[in-house]
């Protein structure tokens, strides 16, 4: 994948544009999976407890990942001692996300939970892109991004009222 820069604006090559077009439906499907997960975890958390529900989802996920690693051929193992510690924060944030999802869904519903999560994700993502945090390429916030974020907040308000 090649990206050329003209006046600080990244221009995608045809190969990169095709990859983005191919990945977008996959990411949308993954987002749909999160809504299904919320629908499953809420009642499970009520039945067995929120922390047990979270542990079960991570246990099943870990088992599936282990099998994928086992059958996917040789992999370069992680050198955890060589990684910057901040890169491991995701392992801490994932369970918090799932516990909150498990707690919130039965009380505020799946749609409200998902749009609230989306507003937090997009809001923080805009900041991460804008400042280039975590080693990402900087992508300045423009008017269109501000409008998109505002529309997500409007959606949050409308779903909360409905």
């Amino acid at each position: 994948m090649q990206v050329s820069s003209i006046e600080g604006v990244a221009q995608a090559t045809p190969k990169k544009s095709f990859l983005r077009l191919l990945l977008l439906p996959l990411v949308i499907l993954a987002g749909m999976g999160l809504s299904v997960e919320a629908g499953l975890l809420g009642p499970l958390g009520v039945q067995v407890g929120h922390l047990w529900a979270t542990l079960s989802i991570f246990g099943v996920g870990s088992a599936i990942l282990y099998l994928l690693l086992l059958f996917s051929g040789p992999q370069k193992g992680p050198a955890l001692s060589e990684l910057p510690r901040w890169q491991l924060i995701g392992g801490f944030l994932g369970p918090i996300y799932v516990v909150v999802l498990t707690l919130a869904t039965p009380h505020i519903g799946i749609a409200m939970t998902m749009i609230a999560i989306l507003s937090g994700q997009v809001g923080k993502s805009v900041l991460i892109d804008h400042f280039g945090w975590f080693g990402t390429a900087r992508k300045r916030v423009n008017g269109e991004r501000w409008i998109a974020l505002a529309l997500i907040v409007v959606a949050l308000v409308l779903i909360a009222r409905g």
Side-chain angles (χ1 to χ4, degrees):
M1 280 184 250
Q2 297 176 343
V3 176
S4 59
S5 182
I6 300 172
E7 297 178 18
V9 178
Q11 300 293 321
T13 62
K15 185 176 179 182
K16 184 173 181 179
S17 294
F18 177 74
L19 182 61
R20 288 178 66 179
L21 189 62
L22 188 64
L23 288 174
L24 190 58
L26 186 62
V27 173
I28 290 169
L29 286 172
M32 289 177 180
L34 287 177
S35 295
V36 171
E37 183 178 37
L40 298 172
L41 279 174
L44 182 62
V46 170
Q47 289 178 332
V48 301
H50 304 296
L51 296 178
W52 281 111
T54 302
L55 182 62
S56 72
I57 202 84
F58 279 99
V60 169
S62 294
I64 290 169
L65 285 173
Y66 176 75
L67 289 172
L68 288 172
L69 282 170
L70 190 64
F71 293 109
S72 66
Q75 302 280 321
K76 180 181 177 186
L80 295 178
S81 62
E82 297 173 15
L83 292 175
R85 295 293 174 237
W86 62 266
Q87 288 183 337
L88 301 176
I89 291 173
F92 176 73
L93 295 175
I96 290 173
Y97 166 79
V98 175
V99 168
V100 169
L101 188 75
T102 305
L103 286 167
T105 302
H107 299 286
I108 64 175
I110 296 170
M112 184 68 183
T113 301
M114 289 295 108
I115 196 69
I117 286 171
L118 179 66
S119 65
Q121 287 175 330
V122 173
K124 190 62 166 192
S125 298
V126 166
L127 290 173
I128 292 169
D129 279 350
H130 180 74
F131 292 107
W133 292 338
F134 311 119
T136 63
R138 289 184 73 172
K139 189 166 188 168
R140 294 220 179 263
V141 179
N142 59 21
E144 291 171 345
R145 285 178 167 232
W146 284 119
I147 291 169
L149 185 55
L151 290 173
I152 291 170
V153 172
V154 167
L156 178 62
V157 170
L158 291 174
I159 288 178
R161 289 179 50 186

